[in-house]
Every structure is written in C-alpha cells, then in structure tokens.
Amino acid sequence: MRGTITEEQGEIHVAQGKVIGGGSSINGQAMQRGFPQDFDSWAALGNDQWSYEKIVPFFRKSERDLDIHDNYCHGSDGPMPIRRRQTGPLPAIQQAFHRACLDAGFGTTNDKNGLNPGGLGITPSNNIDGVRVSTAMAYLNPVRHYLNLTVRGGVFVRKILIKDHKAIGVEAESGGQAFQIEAGRVVLSSGAIRSPQLLMLSGIGPADHLRQFGIPVVRDLPGVGSNLMNHLSAQLTFKVKDGVSLETHRDAAHFALHYTAPGSSYVNDMVLRSSTVVDERTEHVPGVRTKYLTGDVPPERAARISCTLGLPDGTGWVRLASADPGVQPKFNYCYLQHPNDIRRVREGLRMAARLLESEAYRDVAEFRIQPDDDVLADDHALDLWIRQTVGTARHVSGTCKMGTADDPMAVVD
Ligand SMILES: Cc1cc2nc3c(=O)[nH]c(=O)nc-3n(C[C@H](O)[C@H](O)[C@H](O)COP(=O)(O)OP(=O)(O)OC[C@H]3O[C@@H](n4cnc5c(N)ncnc54)[C@H](O)[C@@H]3O)c2cc1C
C-alpha cells in the first residue's frame, strides 16, 4: 500500500501482509508484548477486561516459551514457540550496543515479556532455528484437517452486509465474481487499515465522510479510521570498521533498550535497537539507500542505531479514497506533528550518538554517517532531518478504538 508518514516525504510504500497469516507471515518476528502498564492504562480508561492481570492468561495460553518457565507470565504448551537464545557468537554491533548501554548506566532485564521488561534485554522471537512461525503455522496448521473448518484464499471482502443494525454476512469477490455470504457471526479482523475501510464501505463511520462517497449511513461513528498509531523509526547510521564482521548467525540475539524519555509522563516510552543497514528495506526499495547513507559508504559496511517512539502522543487517520472496495484507502500517520513526539525522538537520536561515541564502540564504529555534526547540534536542522528520513516500523493500530459507551470516539466496546 501507499501512505503518508510525514509531509516532507509524501507518500511512501508501506508493506502489509496480504496473505494467510497476515502481517505475521512477513513481519520482523519480534515477539514483544505490550508492557504491563500499557494494558493497565487501557483498563484505567474503562476497558476493564484489558488489564495485564486479565490479559496475561491469554498470553500464557498462546505461547510455548522455550527459555523462561514461570506460572504467571509465560506458557509452556501453547501453539506459538518463543525464544531469545543466542547459540552463535554475539554479533560485534550487538556487543558494542550492549556494552555502551551498560556503561551509560541502563539496567538490564532477562525477560522482555515479563513483569519488569524495561531496560536492556534480548528481544524474544518467534523464529525458531531459522523458521518463521507465523500465526498461520502456529494456529492453522494443526487444525487444517478438521472437516468443520474451511479457509478460502483469494477471496476479497467488499463490504459487510447489515440488516436491522446487525452484521449478517459479507459481500465478497472470488474469481472475478461477487458473492453474498450469510453468517450467524461475522468477525472483522482485516488489520488497522483495512478494518476501518470495510466498516466505512459498509456505512459505519464518520457520517459526513460516508456521504461524500454516496455511502448510506448505517451508524455515524466518528472514531472509525481515526486515532491511527504506528511506531516510527529514526535511524542514526555509522560506518563499521573494516575487518569487523557484520554477518549474523540465524539465532543471533538482538538487544533492545526500553527507557523512559527525560520529562516523559509515560514509562518506557522509547526504544533503541542496533542492526545492520542492509535488510529488506534497502534491498528492495530504490532511493532508500540515499536516505540513510551519504558518501561512499557501501550499505553492507554500515550499521545503525534506531530510535523508536513506543508511545506517541500524535495520531493519524485512515479515510476512504473511493467507494470502490478495490481502491486502497488513504492514510496518513502524521508522524512527529506533536511537539512531545519530535522532542523525544530528537533526544533519543542524540543519546544514540553519545552511545556511538563511547568507548564500547571504539573497535567497531569508524565514524557516524548520518546525521552529521551540524545537523545533530541544531534543533531545527535535526527536526527537519528526522522528518525527511524517518521510517515506519509498520505496527499499525488504533483505528477501531476500544472504549466505553460515553466515549464518542470508541468504535468497539
Ligand atoms: C513488514 C512488517 C514488519 C513487522 N514487524 C513486526 C515485529 O517484528 N513484531 C511484531 O509484533 N509486529 C510486527 N509487525 C506488525 C504485525 O505484523 C501486525 O501488527 C499484525 O500482523 C497485525 O495483525 P492483524 O490481524 O491486526 O492484521 P493483519 O496481520 O494485517 O491481517 C489482516 C488480514 O486480513 C486480510 N484482509 C484485509 N482486507 C481484506 C479484505 N477486504 N478481504 C479479505 N481479506 C482481507 C489481509 O490479507 C490479512 O491476511 C510488522 C508488520 C509488518 C508489515
């Protein structure tokens, strides 16, 4: 799909998993849960089934943690295997990042999905021995032989059929033909961009917006498609010293540092990670290389420290571009428009630069590629550079917000 992340960059390509298993079939396989306080903050807003205490039994039920066994946070016989082991040598850039964070005084955690996940720790993953275990593999494969289960591929849902304010089925396209399928129960789970699109195509959404496209209004719900959130990723790149290997063993551990931004009202709202620059992003998207690299540094000799805003204050939107279901909706993440968001990312990148300059990186990093010293030192220049280069972590959420009956922006209860 194509969507806008910042006005400076305009529309960019945004990957989504149009496949069985959805995003889990193409994603980064970081099996990082929300933190306990995230769930508790949802419960405090009135979503009383979503406290960590209420949600943790479902995490236990879903996972088979291969490393950590306890009776509260972790399950050992669920369908989704999780590991954080390091069987090969720790990559040099991970070693340097790890040491630099410790030297800077950050604490550690041995369980990023535990009760105290803040600080530096290894990111849990659902990649086992080099094999991605998608939700399709974990949940669908074991029951594919059931005679009371049918999964249809290549079927495109065009709208939800609604009668007397109740969903009674869907209109779907298969092999170029349209079908109406009735059902006793309809579960809408087409992701944070397509779910609000389908609701709006079905007459559920902001009434004025639906009328613009000639869609009869079934229910005026202004929250449909609002409140779009997505983690951003701002990246500091550096040249890796010649002779230092950037090869990673398939079981190599990746560290993440969750920390609280100075002056933040949130806890653990920021994340720093280190990785190589050559990945799916630079390999397949023309022009991206120049965004993060300058000069003659070949991408395969560069690495990065990325800074992610975990709990943004700003939100974006999803809106219809057409009443035709085949036309993708418009969306804009509206990254970094909130002053508290740009401030935290600016400070995060400066902290990443300090880590890079520390003793821990002496044998690994030759020089910082981007942002350069002049940009890094100047708030305005750095803010502009961030807006021009920031990428997306592709973790879309929020567009069908949960809430209580008195929340006008709530979409589901
Ligand atoms: C490149 C990438 C990297 C990511 N990395 C990570 C990571 O490392 N860790 C992590 O936790 N998360 C990661 N994510 C995010 C994570 O994958 C998503 O948050 C998650 O998959 C969302 O699940 P979902 O069920 O809401 O939607 P989706 O996974 O998007 O599933 C929606 C499904 O609905 C189908 N669909 C949509 N519209 C229609 C229609 N009209 N008719 C029929 N079918 C339809 C789609 O084909 C898809 O199969 C990443 C995502 C991407 C894209």
CSV table of all heavy atoms in Angstrom, one decimal, residues 81-111:
chain,number,residue,atom,x,y,z
A,81,PRO,N,5.8,-20.9,19.5
A,81,PRO,CA,7.0,-21.0,20.2
A,81,PRO,C,7.8,-19.7,20.3
A,81,PRO,O,7.8,-18.9,19.3
A,81,PRO,CB,7.8,-22.0,19.3
A,81,PRO,CG,7.2,-21.9,18.0
A,81,PRO,CD,5.8,-21.4,18.2
A,82,ILE,N,8.4,-19.4,21.4
A,82,ILE,CA,9.2,-18.1,21.6
A,82,ILE,C,10.6,-18.5,22.1
A,82,ILE,O,10.7,-19.3,23.0
A,82,ILE,CB,8.5,-17.3,22.7
A,82,ILE,CG1,7.0,-17.1,22.5
A,82,ILE,CG2,9.2,-15.9,22.8
A,82,ILE,CD1,6.6,-16.3,21.3
A,83,ARG,N,11.5,-17.8,21.6
A,83,ARG,CA,12.9,-18.0,22.1
A,83,ARG,C,13.7,-16.7,22.1
A,83,ARG,O,13.4,-15.8,21.3
A,83,ARG,CB,13.6,-19.1,21.4
A,83,ARG,CG,14.1,-18.7,20.0
A,83,ARG,CD,14.7,-19.8,19.3
A,83,ARG,NE,16.0,-20.2,19.9
A,83,ARG,CZ,16.7,-21.2,19.4
A,83,ARG,NH1,16.3,-21.9,18.4
A,83,ARG,NH2,17.8,-21.5,19.9
A,84,ARG,N,14.7,-16.6,22.9
A,84,ARG,CA,15.6,-15.5,22.9
A,84,ARG,C,17.0,-16.0,23.0
A,84,ARG,O,17.9,-15.3,23.4
A,84,ARG,CB,15.3,-14.5,24.0
A,84,ARG,CG,14.7,-15.1,25.2
A,84,ARG,CD,14.3,-14.1,26.3
A,84,ARG,NE,12.8,-14.0,26.4
A,84,ARG,CZ,12.0,-15.0,26.5
A,84,ARG,NH1,12.3,-16.2,26.5
A,84,ARG,NH2,10.7,-14.7,26.7
A,85,ARG,N,17.2,-17.2,22.7
A,85,ARG,CA,18.6,-17.8,22.9
A,85,ARG,C,19.6,-17.3,21.9
A,85,ARG,O,19.2,-16.8,20.8
A,85,ARG,CB,18.5,-19.3,22.7
A,85,ARG,CG,18.0,-20.0,23.9
A,85,ARG,CD,18.4,-21.5,23.9
A,85,ARG,NE,17.8,-22.2,22.7
A,85,ARG,CZ,16.7,-22.8,22.8
A,85,ARG,NH1,16.0,-22.9,23.9
A,85,ARG,NH2,16.2,-23.4,21.7
A,86,GLN,N,20.8,-17.4,22.3
A,86,GLN,CA,21.9,-17.0,21.4
A,86,GLN,C,22.8,-18.2,21.3
A,86,GLN,O,23.5,-18.6,22.2
A,86,GLN,CB,22.7,-15.8,22.1
A,86,GLN,CG,24.0,-15.5,21.6
A,86,GLN,CD,24.0,-14.9,20.2
A,86,GLN,OE1,23.1,-14.0,20.0
A,86,GLN,NE2,24.9,-15.2,19.3
A,87,THR,N,22.8,-18.9,20.1
A,87,THR,CA,23.6,-20.1,20.0
A,87,THR,C,24.9,-19.8,19.3
A,87,THR,O,25.9,-20.4,19.6
A,87,THR,CB,22.8,-21.2,19.3
A,87,THR,OG1,22.3,-20.6,18.1
A,87,THR,CG2,21.7,-21.7,20.1
A,88,GLY,N,24.9,-18.8,18.4
A,88,GLY,CA,26.2,-18.4,17.8
A,88,GLY,C,26.9,-17.3,18.5
A,88,GLY,O,26.4,-16.9,19.6
A,89,PRO,N,28.0,-16.9,18.0
A,89,PRO,CA,28.7,-15.7,18.6
A,89,PRO,C,27.8,-14.5,18.6
A,89,PRO,O,27.1,-14.2,17.6
A,89,PRO,CB,30.0,-15.6,17.8
A,89,PRO,CG,29.8,-16.3,16.6
A,89,PRO,CD,28.7,-17.3,16.8
A,90,LEU,N,27.9,-13.6,19.6
A,90,LEU,CA,27.2,-12.4,19.6
A,90,LEU,C,27.7,-11.4,18.5
A,90,LEU,O,28.9,-11.2,18.6
A,90,LEU,CB,27.3,-11.8,21.0
A,90,LEU,CG,26.2,-10.7,21.4
A,90,LEU,CD1,24.8,-11.3,21.3
A,90,LEU,CD2,26.5,-10.3,22.9
A,91,PRO,N,26.9,-10.9,17.6
A,91,PRO,CA,27.5,-10.0,16.6
A,91,PRO,C,28.2,-8.8,17.2
A,91,PRO,O,27.7,-8.3,18.3
A,91,PRO,CB,26.3,-9.6,15.8
A,91,PRO,CG,25.2,-10.6,16.1
A,91,PRO,CD,25.5,-11.1,17.5
A,92,ALA,N,29.2,-8.3,16.5
A,92,ALA,CA,30.0,-7.2,17.1
A,92,ALA,C,29.2,-6.0,17.4
A,92,ALA,O,29.4,-5.3,18.4
A,92,ALA,CB,31.2,-6.9,16.2
A,93,ILE,N,28.3,-5.7,16.5
A,93,ILE,CA,27.5,-4.5,16.7
A,93,ILE,C,26.5,-4.6,17.9
A,93,ILE,O,26.2,-3.7,18.6
A,93,ILE,CB,26.7,-4.0,15.5
A,93,ILE,CG1,25.8,-5.0,14.9
A,93,ILE,CG2,27.7,-3.5,14.4
A,93,ILE,CD1,24.8,-4.4,13.9
A,94,GLN,N,26.1,-5.9,18.1
A,94,GLN,CA,25.2,-6.1,19.3
A,94,GLN,C,26.0,-6.0,20.6
A,94,GLN,O,25.6,-5.5,21.6
A,94,GLN,CB,24.5,-7.5,19.2
A,94,GLN,CG,23.6,-7.6,18.1
A,94,GLN,CD,22.4,-6.7,18.2
A,94,GLN,OE1,21.9,-6.3,19.3
A,94,GLN,NE2,21.8,-6.2,17.0
A,95,GLN,N,27.3,-6.6,20.5
A,95,GLN,CA,28.1,-6.5,21.7
A,95,GLN,C,28.4,-5.0,22.1
A,95,GLN,O,28.4,-4.7,23.3
A,95,GLN,CB,29.5,-7.1,21.4
A,95,GLN,CG,29.5,-8.6,21.6
A,95,GLN,CD,30.9,-9.2,21.3
A,95,GLN,OE1,31.9,-8.6,21.8
A,95,GLN,NE2,31.0,-10.3,20.6
A,96,ALA,N,28.7,-4.2,21.1
A,96,ALA,CA,29.1,-2.8,21.3
A,96,ALA,C,27.9,-2.1,21.9
A,96,ALA,O,28.0,-1.3,22.9
A,96,ALA,CB,29.5,-2.2,20.0
A,97,PHE,N,26.7,-2.3,21.3
A,97,PHE,CA,25.5,-1.7,21.8
A,97,PHE,C,25.2,-2.1,23.2
A,97,PHE,O,24.9,-1.2,24.1
A,97,PHE,CB,24.3,-2.1,20.9
A,97,PHE,CG,23.0,-1.5,21.2
A,97,PHE,CD1,22.7,-0.1,21.1
A,97,PHE,CD2,21.9,-2.3,21.8
A,97,PHE,CE1,21.5,0.5,21.5
A,97,PHE,CE2,20.7,-1.7,22.1
A,97,PHE,CZ,20.5,-0.3,22.0
A,98,HIS,N,25.3,-3.3,23.5
A,98,HIS,CA,25.1,-3.9,24.9
A,98,HIS,C,26.0,-3.2,25.9
A,98,HIS,O,25.6,-2.7,26.9
A,98,HIS,CB,25.3,-5.4,24.8
A,98,HIS,CG,25.0,-6.1,26.1
A,98,HIS,ND1,26.0,-6.5,26.9
A,98,HIS,CD2,23.9,-6.4,26.7
A,98,HIS,CE1,25.5,-7.1,28.0
A,98,HIS,NE2,24.2,-7.0,27.9
A,99,ARG,N,27.3,-3.2,25.5
A,99,ARG,CA,28.2,-2.6,26.5
A,99,ARG,C,28.0,-1.1,26.7
A,99,ARG,O,28.1,-0.5,27.8
A,99,ARG,CB,29.7,-2.9,26.0
A,99,ARG,CG,30.5,-3.3,27.2
A,99,ARG,CD,32.0,-3.3,26.9
A,99,ARG,NE,32.7,-2.1,27.2
A,99,ARG,CZ,33.8,-1.7,26.7
A,99,ARG,NH1,34.4,-2.4,25.8
A,99,ARG,NH2,34.4,-0.6,27.1
A,100,ALA,N,27.7,-0.4,25.5
A,100,ALA,CA,27.6,1.0,25.6
A,100,ALA,C,26.4,1.4,26.5
A,100,ALA,O,26.4,2.3,27.3
A,100,ALA,CB,27.3,1.6,24.2
A,101,CYS,N,25.3,0.6,26.4
A,101,CYS,CA,24.1,0.9,27.2
A,101,CYS,C,24.4,0.6,28.7
A,101,CYS,O,24.0,1.4,29.6
A,101,CYS,CB,22.9,0.0,26.8
A,101,CYS,SG,22.3,0.4,25.2
A,102,LEU,N,25.2,-0.5,29.0
A,102,LEU,CA,25.5,-0.8,30.4
A,102,LEU,C,26.4,0.4,30.9
A,102,LEU,O,26.2,0.9,32.1
A,102,LEU,CB,26.2,-2.1,30.5
A,102,LEU,CG,25.4,-3.3,30.2
A,102,LEU,CD1,26.3,-4.6,30.5
A,102,LEU,CD2,24.1,-3.4,31.0
A,103,ASP,N,27.4,0.8,30.1
A,103,ASP,CA,28.3,1.8,30.6
A,103,ASP,C,27.6,3.1,30.8
A,103,ASP,O,28.0,3.9,31.7
A,103,ASP,CB,29.4,2.1,29.5
A,103,ASP,CG,30.4,0.9,29.5
A,103,ASP,OD1,30.3,0.0,30.3
A,103,ASP,OD2,31.2,0.9,28.5
A,104,ALA,N,26.5,3.3,30.1
A,104,ALA,CA,25.7,4.6,30.3
A,104,ALA,C,24.8,4.5,31.5
A,104,ALA,O,24.1,5.4,31.8
A,104,ALA,CB,24.9,4.9,29.0
A,105,GLY,N,24.8,3.3,32.1
A,105,GLY,CA,24.1,3.2,33.4
A,105,GLY,C,22.7,2.6,33.3
A,105,GLY,O,21.9,2.6,34.3
A,106,PHE,N,22.3,2.1,32.1
A,106,PHE,CA,21.0,1.5,32.0
A,106,PHE,C,21.0,0.1,32.6
A,106,PHE,O,22.0,-0.7,32.6
A,106,PHE,CB,20.6,1.3,30.5
A,106,PHE,CG,20.3,2.7,29.9
A,106,PHE,CD1,21.2,3.3,29.0
A,106,PHE,CD2,19.1,3.3,30.2
A,106,PHE,CE1,20.9,4.5,28.5
A,106,PHE,CE2,18.8,4.6,29.7
A,106,PHE,CZ,19.7,5.2,28.8
A,107,GLY,N,19.8,-0.3,33.2
A,107,GLY,CA,19.7,-1.6,33.8
A,107,GLY,C,19.4,-2.6,32.8
A,107,GLY,O,19.1,-2.3,31.6
A,108,THR,N,19.3,-3.9,33.2
A,108,THR,CA,19.1,-5.0,32.3
A,108,THR,C,17.8,-5.8,32.7
A,108,THR,O,17.4,-5.7,33.9
A,108,THR,CB,20.2,-6.0,32.2
A,108,THR,OG1,20.4,-6.5,33.5
A,108,THR,CG2,21.5,-5.3,31.7
A,109,THR,N,17.3,-6.5,31.8
A,109,THR,CA,16.2,-7.4,32.1
A,109,THR,C,16.4,-8.7,31.3
A,109,THR,O,16.9,-8.7,30.2
A,109,THR,CB,14.8,-6.8,31.7
A,109,THR,OG1,13.8,-7.8,31.9
A,109,THR,CG2,14.8,-6.4,30.2
A,110,ASN,N,16.1,-9.8,32.0
A,110,ASN,CA,16.3,-11.1,31.2
A,110,ASN,C,14.9,-11.6,30.6
A,110,ASN,O,14.9,-12.6,30.0
A,110,ASN,CB,16.8,-12.2,32.1
A,110,ASN,CG,15.8,-12.6,33.2
A,110,ASN,OD1,14.8,-12.0,33.4
A,110,ASN,ND2,16.1,-13.7,33.9
A,111,ASP,N,13.9,-10.7,30.8
A,111,ASP,CA,12.6,-11.1,30.2
A,111,ASP,C,11.8,-9.9,29.7
A,111,ASP,O,11.1,-9.2,30.5
A,111,ASP,CB,11.8,-11.8,31.3
A,111,ASP,CG,10.5,-12.4,30.8
A,111,ASP,OD1,10.3,-12.3,29.5
A,111,ASP,OD2,9.8,-13.0,31.6
